[in-house]
Amino acid sequence: MINNLDIKEQLRSFFDPKAVAIIGATNKKGKVGNVIFENFKRNKERGIFKGNIYPVNPKLDEIDGYKVYHSVEELPDDTDLAVVAIPAPAVPETMRKIAEKGIKAVVIITGGFGELGEEGKRMEQEILEIARAHGIRVIGPNCVGVYVPDTGVDTVFLPEEKMDRPKSGPIAFVSQSGAFAAAMLDWAAMAGIGIGKMVSYGNKIDVDDADLMEYFAQDEQIKVMTFYIEGVKDGRRFMEVAKRVTKIKPIIALKSGRTEYGAKAASSHTGSLAGQDVIYDAVFKQTGIIRAEDFEHMFDLAKAFAKCKLPKGDRIGIITDGGGAGVMASDAVAKFGLKLAELSEETLRFLREKFPPHAVVGNPTDVVGDTDAERYRLALEAFTKDPNVDAILVIVLFQVPLLDEEEVIEIIADYAKKSDKPIVAVSMGGYKTDRYAKMLEEKGVPVYPTPERGVRALAGLVRYAEYLRKMGE
């Protein structure tokens, strides 16, 4: 049984604080403490961050019009989140002062702890003991912290001038690696993928995967969770929580350190024990976690889960205006262990009556290169009504001359909304195609640049739906 109120209250201040103290804030442009301060200041000026901002630095009195507090002891009593960006040896003593002040949520950005050896591990243990003794929750150390577009919390120390922030959305993104987290946020912003909350937890001495699974399971904004993991410290709890949470929401995990070389790199990066990859494979299968092969796969899956309904089975219907693309999609259906749907006689008859003789009626149904938007509408009408089709892949080559791009976008989005079957789209091409693909995504349909990636995303939906059915038996 998940303790709903408890975990929500424990982690609330990380995502929506009343007041944030930035310990190590500075007026030196480009320094970590300055970028974090600037993030909060900018979001407050935009009206997104509603809380108070308290920079802390013993050598300054003011930064950009904000009063600077010389010590933690001086902080106002409404401070409920501390972001720590000072040298590692000073962090344990600062934690003591944070504990005395009564602040219950701490993000330690600073690196130079367990990943560097025994002295770092000793400091981590000291910080953890202080946190446990005073009921403090800690994210980090050695991380970029938290990003929440809706509340303006942004501890990512990469400035906006160098890294775009994604818009808000239904995906939670959790990463052990700060650099990976930052790069993915930047990429998600470019790709138009909405991130509801991002947490980079680095060495995760306290708040870990299981805590965040529990939290996001209760977060109404979040529809799907994605995790980049190098190693798990408490395997038993991870499994126990994951088993419960995957029955509520899908969890996608990208686990690195799969090889001997990768495991060694993970150890020196975040001090993680990567463990044998075969064990993680088994754990993910047992707990219903969907394993992503790479970052592209992780976000392909996340996009599908964020936008699509779950299919009732594994029979895929393919509609295309390019024969070759249909063949590639058919191969992918077999490759990912799915089935090509056997269209019903009613569907076949309907399409033969409506389509010109040179169109190919079957699965795939090829509306061919002289198609207009109406042929897509007819095919979607038939496929969505066909009881033999569980999920639909629509390939649209926007380049064909008679196709009204905006009309076909409206048609696909309309059927994706009103049908109880998942519909994903594939659109291959360059800049012009990318523009139309983004328009279709804005209307709630996930779009992929190749048939294989589209089918692989559908396979993720199918496997998760199968897992839920199995758990419900």
Side-chain angles (χ1 to χ4, degrees):
M1 181 71 185
I2 293 173
N3 185 343
N4 294 354
L5 290 176
D6 193 35
I7 194 71
K8 279 186 87 171
E9 188 50 34
Q10 285 177 37
L11 302 190
R12 182 196 57 77
S13 298
F14 288 113
F15 305 112
D16 190 14
K18 295 179 186 130
V20 58
I22 300 154
I23 300 169
T26 171
N27 54 7
K28 292 178 183 170
K29 300 293 179 193
K31 298 277 283 186
V32 170
N34 180 259
V35 175
I36 296 170
F37 169 75
E38 287 286 338
N39 291 344
F40 280 99
K41 175 174 163 276
R42 185 182 286 130
N43 284 337
K44 189 162 183 73
E45 288 167 356
R46 290 169 176 163
I48 305 169
F49 184 68
K50 309 285 189 194
N52 294 318
I53 303 170
Y54 304 136
V56 180
N57 187 320
K59 297 177 182 172
L60 297 173
D61 295 321
E62 176 263 327
I63 304 175
D64 290 348
Y66 280 77
K67 174 186 174 181
V68 175
Y69 297 84
H70 291 168
S71 68
V72 171
E73 293 95 316
E74 293 177 14
L75 284 167
D77 291 339
D78 64 342
T79 311
D80 56 350
L81 173 64
V83 182
V84 179
I86 56 177
V91 176
E93 181 56 27
T94 301
M95 269 299 289
R96 279 194 192 84
K97 292 175 181 172
I98 287 171
E100 288 165 10
K101 191 67 195 171
I103 299 168
K104 299 298 185 189
V106 181
V107 178
I108 303 175
I109 302 293
T110 310
F113 287 93
E115 74 278 15
L116 291 189
E118 291 307 313
E119 175 56 16
K121 287 178 184 170
R122 188 199 63 73
M123 288 194 290
E124 285 184 351
Q125 185 59 32
E126 191 177 344
I127 292 165
L128 187 59
E129 285 171 8
I130 297 166
R132 293 277 156 82
H134 294 84
I136 301 169
R137 300 309 309 261
V138 178
I139 288 178
N142 188 24
C143 68
V144 298
V146 181
Y147 169 72
V148 187
D150 287 338
T151 62
V153 172
D154 185 351
T155 70
V156 180
F157 57 84
L158 291 309
E160 271 196 13
E161 296 74 23
K162 295 195 174 188
M163 190 202 99
D164 288 328
R165 268 63 171 170
K167 63 184 179 182
S168 178
I171 300 171
F173 174 45
V174 179
S175 173
Q176 199 160 355
S177 161
F180 185 74
M184 286 307 98
L185 288 180
D186 201 14
W187 176 80
M190 182 188 70
I193 293 174
I195 303 290
K197 292 179 179 69
M198 184 285 294
V199 177
S200 148
Y201 49 30
N203 297 4
K204 54 179 172 183
I205 61 169
D206 177 38
V207 174
D208 64 6
D209 316 272
D211 291 318
L212 293 166
M213 285 177 197
E214 285 194 328
Y215 183 88
F216 291 133
Q218 301 158 49
D219 187 329
E220 290 181 3
Q221 180 193 18
I222 300 303
K223 290 179 70 176
V224 53
M225 305 172 216
T226 56
F227 285 77
Y228 167 74
I229 297 170
E230 292 183 356
V232 172
K233 288 179 179 171
D234 186 345
R236 182 170 294 181
R237 181 158 178 264
F238 179 91
M239 286 187 70
E240 178 216 317
V241 173
K243 270 184 186 172
R244 279 190 270 117
V245 171
T246 51
K247 291 175 191 168
I248 304 168
K249 293 179 185 178
I251 299 174
I252 300 160
L254 173 57
K255 164 71 177 64
S256 64
R258 301 181 76 155
T259 64
E260 182 186 344
Y261 294 149
K264 193 174 175 185
S267 177
S268 61
H269 179 213
T270 52
S272 291
L273 294 172
Q276 289 187 16
D277 197 61
V278 66
I279 295 174
Y280 278 95
D281 247 348
V283 166
F284 292 160
K285 278 178 188 161
Q286 280 180 40
T287 56
I289 291 176
I290 303 149
R291 184 166 194 168
E293 294 301 315
D294 50 42
F295 91 85
E296 202 171 66
H297 188 202
M298 182 167 75
F299 278 99
D300 280 353
L301 286 168
K303 210 161 65 167
F305 279 105
K307 294 176 185 285
C308 290
K309 294 136 188 160
L310 289 178
K312 295 192 171 94
D314 61 357
R315 300 167 300 177
I316 311 300
I318 300 169
I319 301 166
T320 182
D321 59 352
V327 174
M328 285 190 277
S330 303
D331 275 341
V333 165
K335 178 179 177 181
F336 296 115
L338 304 174
K339 296 187 186 110
L340 267 186
E342 295 282 342
L343 299 183
S344 70
E345 282 304 318
E346 191 177 348
T347 295
L348 295 170
R349 187 167 53 249
F350 174 83
L351 293 177
R352 285 191 193 109
E353 286 172 1
K354 301 290 183 184
F355 278 2
H358 61 283
V360 180
V361 171
N363 195 15
T365 280
D366 186 353
V367 294
V368 297
D370 66 347
T371 191
D372 55 9
E374 176 62 10
R375 280 186 214 162
Y376 274 100
R377 192 191 66 74
L378 292 167
L380 281 164
E381 176 69 16
F383 275 52
T384 51
K385 285 185 176 171
D386 192 323
N388 296 341
V389 176
D390 297 312
I392 302 166
L393 184 85
V394 186
I395 301 167
V396 188
L397 303 177
F398 285 105
Q399 299 91 339
V400 300
L402 299 178
L403 188 64
D404 184 312
E405 298 91 345
E406 295 191 16
E407 188 182 353
V408 78
I409 285 169
E410 290 294 336
I411 288 169
I412 295 169
D414 180 48
Y415 277 96
K417 191 175 177 185
K418 68 187 182 187
S419 172
D420 61 355
K421 299 173 184 179
I423 296 176
V424 306
V426 169
S427 188
M428 296 183 284
Y431 292 120
K432 293 183 177 67
T433 290
D434 188 53
R435 176 171 163 252
Y436 294 123
K438 283 180 177 163
M439 287 170 65
L440 188 49
E441 291 220 325
E442 286 293 322
K443 292 184 177 292
V445 181
V447 185
Y448 300 94
T450 66
E452 180 157 285
R453 283 175 60 182
V455 174
R456 189 167 65 160
L458 272 179
L461 297 180
V462 169
R463 299 299 169 231
Y464 181 61
E466 285 173 348
Y467 173 78
L468 290 183
R469 282 195 289 275
K470 189 178 165 190
M471 289 297 104
E473 285 172 358

